[in-house]
């Protein structure tokens, strides 16, 4: 218990050693003074709070927000000194905001606790005391032997000891860790693989030594020492022996493994990292405006305090007969009195800071984010995937994007590879009807005949079908498991063979060789089997030289059926060709370039034959490097370089990755919207340029500039200067820039400014041969440039995560490379084409909604508190409040909150289809135009002007006319005294509530029944509440200054006349301004509104999407929800709301053209 407390408080001491020693089955040494190492338990903790620290921790986090802290100070000031308003007026709104936020955050953390408890309480089986015992996952300790069955996830990081297979292998998927959905094969060392029963495992004497926990999923360095008959056998352990927590066991009945990393020390938990908090431009503007209003508040408080003392310089005002000072007041410190008066004025004017702004913005973002998931146009029917919102804090940022950084493979393309061409021994070949045919030769062999391959062709196909990490899944009739080789010969042991690969390229190549007659049958870890035109050949798998990003190639060392040792290797042409010593090098290089120009992905294949002596040296070096505990990666890299040289070039392959649907239209729409698109890819130069041309990223008429193959800083700088001069000379035409990874590194090292100048003057930029971190560096470079543009990164793979997290907005594509990009993104969509609507429609709507919300909140609070400031000039700065305390409290919470919330959820300046068909409208809101300082000044001055009209209009119309106090009869002096002050304040407040509500109504373009309900309902609620509040004597109120005031006010016709005159006088100039600007200087958006109005209203609300539970697609459910919301919002009449997902409907299908409207929709324009 004490250790757990120390862990929770972060006091648990760190590991003292660089390695950890794990005794299997916790069989510790019995001799000497052995002190066991202390390891973390197996509990996963993703929650933020506990029941003990929720209140203090949550309050601390909330009061770090400047507005909350400010109102807390105001509340404390009201408690400590005599202020003109009750502490409730500040305390209640603060309590409301804090409570709502705490409930939201507490609920989210409760869900995390619930998920943690479900994981930690999952049943698992461990070997203890010679038997298999069921326990909970959280009770697993380091050293426990754990049994995992088929399709179960691993509860900790386990070193594989044995499986139900004799060779000790198992298949797993790591989709939840790295997004890869392929089957991976993991191995047990031969000495433990035979321990397949609990009794044999209990008798196993072994020790695992490995590195301390680290986050790298693909790195594990260790060794296992097995004691057999008194002899110690040492075997190396690597990533292929480690089963990671969160991975799932596949195609294997059961495995046994020893836990080496548990709980928060597992690699999955170490990869939990808090993404850097992204803040939108609107939030930054909001904080700037808040500071300005704090300045206004301080100015008003200081000015009022100074004027009070200036006024009281005269004795008759300093101590009037009706307010004689006490002796203590006369002798008190003037400085303390000044501070006290300043704080009192600060409290009186503090409502100029809108505390409810934050909670309204949070509600708007949270509720508004549902519209993205509900949009049927963002729903991909084939994969049954709808758009996801992982964070709602950046909704409005979608309307401010200036740069889009996109991956190519899987984002612009389908990531579905199809074999197209190959080059063998300097001759180009094509696949025709499943046969390998030289280019220019027609397939004249009869169907079913076996083609005759020359030696080079056969060796090339064998190399392609053997050099890979492809796994095979068999659909078995009897459900048994066993050796795939034996299954392949039974004839009835399986129904179908399916390949699984970590790379779509590998799968496409193995499937292609199968069609051509060389079929990969299986790999059991020791042997690989192929069938060459029906003849079976078994190769012994000696070593696998795994692929890595530095080498950009992978290799296998095999023993052929004839006993010869051979190396097959494949990789990028730049990683293979420099190391070849024989073969048709120049012809193959030309063919590779030709394949790349066609947009094909290329791989070069080579081999090397070892003599017996050469192989013994290779085997010795590999064993030494793989058993090293220190610097294992460096040693392996040296050995791999030693092995992969003096290669014989066999040929090259060309695989096509076709473009996704409507990529070209989407990129063109983004360009018309003023958004620059950069493509960042790891592909080679020629392939990337070809795809950029085919997808419309580069135009055929565009001048393509290149910054590639730069060798030094000086060479790179000179080339950049040449490009800059060329752009300046040819400024009329558009330019596109191509940069490779090596040149980019040089450019970013010393010449960032020059490089950025060239890039910004180019319409499109393509970066090829990019490493993942280089992608993030490019995004950061643009993001931190002096212009501070808003960036968006979109990708589908784990290699895109760094740039997705770096950009202002990160979008993941739900592609074939798993879910890692989706999990780390802010938004997720199924296809690249959906990006157009996400930005041009949803981004546009979110931005104008929240921009108006922020400006309106500051406007209505200026209207609210300025009359209070003006009133002080008429009450000798006595700090008398103009409004009743209840009105002060409820103004922002009840009377004016709902209309702006509903506006911020449903407002649409123009119809969504207009925004999609006219992408240029996106430019109207770019660069935070609606929250510019000019717009802010306009709204603030408007608030001050309206406040002056409220106050002086009521004062002039009221004046000394006591008829305003009743039904035309002169009231007694005491009655006027009783009602005068509060009646005047109530009249000002009534005019203010009506005016600010109608002002928002003037700003509303898209009216639904909900807008009508909250707009007119808020005004009605104010009148009804005031009648009840002032018409009844409430026993729990200490004083009731407002008793009968509102009733008396409304009983006067003059009061109604004053309300109408003042409200009209405030809003008429605003209406006149809108009309004049709309006709004399209309924006593009206003022109579109005019066209829309002239040609008739557009049909219904955009389709919404709701996906049913557990895969229930249910189009009917979606249509019913869309129809219901459309009717509720009053967008169209019930008959017009009838949309269906019928496959025969040509107009409202899910796959709608981005830039063109369907005939029915177009008929409305």
């Amino acid at each position: 218990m004490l250790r757990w407390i120390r862990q929770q408080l972060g006091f648990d001491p760190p590991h003292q050693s660089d390695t950890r020693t794990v005794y299997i089955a916790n069989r510790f040494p019995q001799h000497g003074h052995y002190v066991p190492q202390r390891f973390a338990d197996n509990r996963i903790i993703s929650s933020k709070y506990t029941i003990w620290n929720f209140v203090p921790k949550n309050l601390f986090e909330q009061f770090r927000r400047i507005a909350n802290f400010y109102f807390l100070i105001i509340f404390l000031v009201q408690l400590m000194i005599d202020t003109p308003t009750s502490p409730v007026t500040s305390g209640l709104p603060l309590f409301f905001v804090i409570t709502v936020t705490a409930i939201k955050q507490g609920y989210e953390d409760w869900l995390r606790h619930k998920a943690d408890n479900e994981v930690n309480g999952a049943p698992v089986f461990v070997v203890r005391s010679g038997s298999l015992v069921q326990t909970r996952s959280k009770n697993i300790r380091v050293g426990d032997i754990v049994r995992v069955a088929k399709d179960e996830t691993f509860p900790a990081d386990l070193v594989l000891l044995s499986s139900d297979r004799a060779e000790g292998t198992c298949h797993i998927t790591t989709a939840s860790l790295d997004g890869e959905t392929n089957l991976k094969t993991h191995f047990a060392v031969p000495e433990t693989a035979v321990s397949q029963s609990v009794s044999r495992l209990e008798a196993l004497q072994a020790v695992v030594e490995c590195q301390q926990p680290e986050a790298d999923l693909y790195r594990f360095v260790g060794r296992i020492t097995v004691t057999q008959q008194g002899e110690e056998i040492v075997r190396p352990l690597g990533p292929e022996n480690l089963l990671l927590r969160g991975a799932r066991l596949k195609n294997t009945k059961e495995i046994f493994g020893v836990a080496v990393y548990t709980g928060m020390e597992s690699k999955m938990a170490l990869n939990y990292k808090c993404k850097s908090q992204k803040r939108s431009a609107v939030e930054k503007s909001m904080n700037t405006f808040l500071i300005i209003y704090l300045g206004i508040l301080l100015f008003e408080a200081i000015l009022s305090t100074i004027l009070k003392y200036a006024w009281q310089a005269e004795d008759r005002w300093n101590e009037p007969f009706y307010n004689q000072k006490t002796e203590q007041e006369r002798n008190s410190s003037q400085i303390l009195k000044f501070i006290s008066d300043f704080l009192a004025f600060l409290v009186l004017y503090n409502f100029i800071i809108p505390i409810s702004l934050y909670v309204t913005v949070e509600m708007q973002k949270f509720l508004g984010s549902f519209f993205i998931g509900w949009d049927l146009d963002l729903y991909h029917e084939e994969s049954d995937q709808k758009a996801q919102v992982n964070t709602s804090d950046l909704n409005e940022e979608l309307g401010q994007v200036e740069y889009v950084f996109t991956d190519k493979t899987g984002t612009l393309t389908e990531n579905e590879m199809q074999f197209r061409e190959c080059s063998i021994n300097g001759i180009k070949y094509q696949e025709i009807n499943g046969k390998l045919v030289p280019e220019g030769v027609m397939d004249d062999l009869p169907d079913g005949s076996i083609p005759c391959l020359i030696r080079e062709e056969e060796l090339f196909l064998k190399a392609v079908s053997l050099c890979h990490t492809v796994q095979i899944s068999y659909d078995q009739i009897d459900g048994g498991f066993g050796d795939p080789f034996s299954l392949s010969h039974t004839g009835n042991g399986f129904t179908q063979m399916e390949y699984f690969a970590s790379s779509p390229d590998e799968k496409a190549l193995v499937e292609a060789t199968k069609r051509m007659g060389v079929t990969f049958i299986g790999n059991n870890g020791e042997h690989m089997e192929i069938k060459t035109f029906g003849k079976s050949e078994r190769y012994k798998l000696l070593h696998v030289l795994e692929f890595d990003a530095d080498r950009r190639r992978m290799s296998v060392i095999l023993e052929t059926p004839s006993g010869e040792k051979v190396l097959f290797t494949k990789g990028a042409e730049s990683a293979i060709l420099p190391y070849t010593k024989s073969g048709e090098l120049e012809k193959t290089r030309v063919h590779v370039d030709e394949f790349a120009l066609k947009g094909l992905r290329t791989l070069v294949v080579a081999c090397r034959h070892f003599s017996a002596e050469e192989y013994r040296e290779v085997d010795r070096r590999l064993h030494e490097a793989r058993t090293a505990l220190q610097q294992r990666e460096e040693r392996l890299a040296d050995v791999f370089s030693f092995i992969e040289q003096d290669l014989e070039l066999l040929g090259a392959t060309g695989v096509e990755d076709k473009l996704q649907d409507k990529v070209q239209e989407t990129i063109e729409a983004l360009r018309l919207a003023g958004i620059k698109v950069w493509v960042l890819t790891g592909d080679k130069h020629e392939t990337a340029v070809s795809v950029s041309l085919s997808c419309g990223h580069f135009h055929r008429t565009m001048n393509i500039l290149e910054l590639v193959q730069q060798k030094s800083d000086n060479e790179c700088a000179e080339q950049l200067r040449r490009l800059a001069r060329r752009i300046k000379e040819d400024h009329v035409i558009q330019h596109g820039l191509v940069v490779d990874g090596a040149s980019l590194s040089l450019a970013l090292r010393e010449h960032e400014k020059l490089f950025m100048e060239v890039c910004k003057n180019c319409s499109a930029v393509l970066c090829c041969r990019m490493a993942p971190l280089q992608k993030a560096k490019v995004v950061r470079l643009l993001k931190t440039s002096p212009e501070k543009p808003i960036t968006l990164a979109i990708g589908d793979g784990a290699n895109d995560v760094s740039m997705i997290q770096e950009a202002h907005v990160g979008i993941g594509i739900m592609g074939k490379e798993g879910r890692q990009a989706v999990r780390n993104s802010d938004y997720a969509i199924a296809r690249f084409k959906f990006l157009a609507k996400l930005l041009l429609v949803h981004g546009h709507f979110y931005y104008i909604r929240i921009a108006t919300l922020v400006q309106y909140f500051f406007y209505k609070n200026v209207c609210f508190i300025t009359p209070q400031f003006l009133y002080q000039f008429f009450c000798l700065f006595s700090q008398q409040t103009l409004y009743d305390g209840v009105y002060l409290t409820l103004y922002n919470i009840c009377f004016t909150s709902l209309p702006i919330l509903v506006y911020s959820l449903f407002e649409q300046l123009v119809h969504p289809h207009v925004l999609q068909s006219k992408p240029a409208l996106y430019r109207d809101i770019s660069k935070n135009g609606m929250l510019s300082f000019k717009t802010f000044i306009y709204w603030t001055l408007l608030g001050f002007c309206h406040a002056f009209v409220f106050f002086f209009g009521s004062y002039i119309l009221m004046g000394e006319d006591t008829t305003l106090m009743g039904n035309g009869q002169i009231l007694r002096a005491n009655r006027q005294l009783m009602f005068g002050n509060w009646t005047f304040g109530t009249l000002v407040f009534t005019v203010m509530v009506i005016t600010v509500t109608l002002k928002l109504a003037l700003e509303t373009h898209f009216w639904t029944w909900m807008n009508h309900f909250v707009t007119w309902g808020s005004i009605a609620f104010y009148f009804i509440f005031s009648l009840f509040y002032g018409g009844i004597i409430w026993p729990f109120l200490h004083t009731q200054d407002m008793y009968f005031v509102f009733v008396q006010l409304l009983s006067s016709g003059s009061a109604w006349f004053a309300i109408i005159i003042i409200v009209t006088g405030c809003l008429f100039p605003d209406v006149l301004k809108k009309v004049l600007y709309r006709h004399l200087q209309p924006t593009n958006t206003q022109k579109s509104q005019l066209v829309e109005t002239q040609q008739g209203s557009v049909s219904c609300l955009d389709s919404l999407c709701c996906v049913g539970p557990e895969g229930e697609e249910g189009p009917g459910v979606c249509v019913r929800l869309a129809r219901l919301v459309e009717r509720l919002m009053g967008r169209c009449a019930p008959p017009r709301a009838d949309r269906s997902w019928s496959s025969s409907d040509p107009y409202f299908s899910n796959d709608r053209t981005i830039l063109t409207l369907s005939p029915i929709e177009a008929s409305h324009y």
Side-chain angles (χ1 to χ4, degrees), residues 568-639:
F568 289 128
T569 184
K570 73 171 188 292
E573 88 288 346
S574 60
I576 300 290
L577 295 182
Y579 302 97
T580 57
K581 69 173 184 178
S582 62
E584 296 289 344
L585 185 62
E586 292 306 319
K587 290 183 179 179
T588 303
R589 194 190 303 273
V590 171
H591 291 164
V592 167
D593 291 340
E594 290 177 1
F595 294 164
L597 288 173
K598 295 178 183 179
L600 303 182
R601 293 164 61 90
T602 58
L603 287 174
V604 175
V605 183
C607 70
R608 178 184 177 184
H609 299 273
F610 296 109
S611 64
E613 187 176 335
E614 285 176 334
Y615 177 72
R616 280 194 295 272
E617 176 68 12
V618 165
D619 186 59
R620 182 187 65 80
R621 289 196 179 196
L622 279 173
H623 181 74
E624 289 178 356
R626 282 179 167 153
T627 54
L629 278 180
Q630 303 296 330
Q631 298 181 327
R632 180 181 292 184
E633 287 84 357
E634 292 81 355
R635 295 187 183 187
L636 282 174
D638 292 340
V639 176

Side-chain angles (χ1 to χ4, degrees), residues 335 372 666 681 713 790 808 859 884 908 971 978 989 1090:
I335 296 177
I372 292 178
T666 304
T681 178
D713 283 339
I790 304 300
H808 291 94
Y859 154 78
D884 182 71
Q908 297 180 12
L971 301 176
M978 176 181 178
F989 192 84
L1090 187 61

Side-chain angles (χ1 to χ4, degrees), residues 964-988:
L964 191 60
M965 310 306 302
N967 294 315
Q969 47 186 325
I970 303 299
L971 301 176
R972 296 190 187 94
N974 62 343
R975 194 165 185 186
Q976 182 172 351
L977 183 64
M978 176 181 178
F979 288 107
N981 175 62
W982 298 114
T983 304
F984 176 70
T986 303
L987 177 61
V988 172

Side-chain angles (χ1 to χ4, degrees), residues 432-435 437 442-452:
I432 301 178
N433 298 327
K435 300 181 181 66
V437 180
M442 297 301 295
D443 177 25
D444 54 0
L445 289 174
D447 292 341
S449 63
I450 298 176
C452 180

Side-chain angles (χ1 to χ4, degrees), residues 1041-1145:
D1041 298 322
M1042 293 296 294
Y1043 178 67
F1044 223 64
V1045 169
F1046 199 71
V1047 177
Q1048 191 71 26
L1049 179 67
L1050 296 187
S1051 65
S1052 169
S1054 303
W1056 287 103
F1057 175 74
I1059 292 172
I1060 295 172
I1061 290 294
I1062 295 171
V1063 171
T1064 305
C1066 285
L1067 298 181
F1068 180 75
D1070 198 43
V1071 174
L1072 189 63
K1073 170 188 168 292
K1074 284 180 175 293
V1075 172
L1076 291 175
Y1077 268 83
R1078 184 175 290 269
H1079 285 82
L1080 299 178
Q1081 293 181 342
T1083 63
N1084 291 329
T1085 302
Q1086 290 170 342
K1087 292 176 184 176
S1088 299
Q1089 291 172 340
L1090 187 61
V1091 172
E1092 184 179 339
T1093 304
Q1094 291 172 346
Q1095 297 186 359
S1097 61
V1098 194
S1099 58
C1100 300
L1101 173 70
D1102 259 37
S1103 49
L1104 302 177
C1105 174
C1106 68
V1107 177
E1110 290 300 322
E1112 175 193 337
E1113 189 172 326
V1117 178
C1118 295
V1119 172
R1120 285 197 297 273
L1121 176 66
R1123 192 179 305 156
L1124 174 63
V1125 175
E1126 286 172 345
R1127 291 181 183 180
L1128 289 176
M1129 293 176 60
R1131 179 74 186 243
C1132 51
R1136 294 285 298 281
D1138 188 14
R1139 280 191 179 181
S1140 67
W1141 270 5
S1142 169
S1143 58
S1144 61
D1145 185 352

Side-chain angles (χ1 to χ4, degrees), residues 163-220:
S163 71
D164 64 307
R165 299 175 179 176
E167 66 274 12
T169 62
C170 70
H171 297 305
I172 70 168
T173 61
T174 57
S176 62
L177 297 173
D178 57 11
E180 295 182 3
T181 56
N182 62 296
L183 292 179
K184 296 183 175 71
T185 304
H186 285 243
F187 307 89
V189 298
E191 288 72 24
T192 64
V194 296
S195 302
Q196 295 177 299
S197 63
V198 174
S199 58
R200 297 194 66 172
L201 287 166
E202 183 66 21
L204 180 66
Q205 294 186 4
V207 179
V208 173
E209 295 174 87
C210 60
Q211 61 188 160
Q212 293 292 4
E214 63 172 30
D216 191 342
L217 296 175
Y218 309 105
R219 186 174 185 272
F220 177 69

Side-chain angles (χ1 to χ4, degrees), residues 14-35:
H15 301 289
Q16 301 299 317
S17 172
D18 291 335
T19 62
R20 62 169 49 188
T21 303
V22 178
Y23 291 87
I24 294 180
N26 290 306
R27 199 174 286 107
F28 302 115
Q30 301 300 317
H31 56 81
H33 301 284
Y34 173 74
V35 179

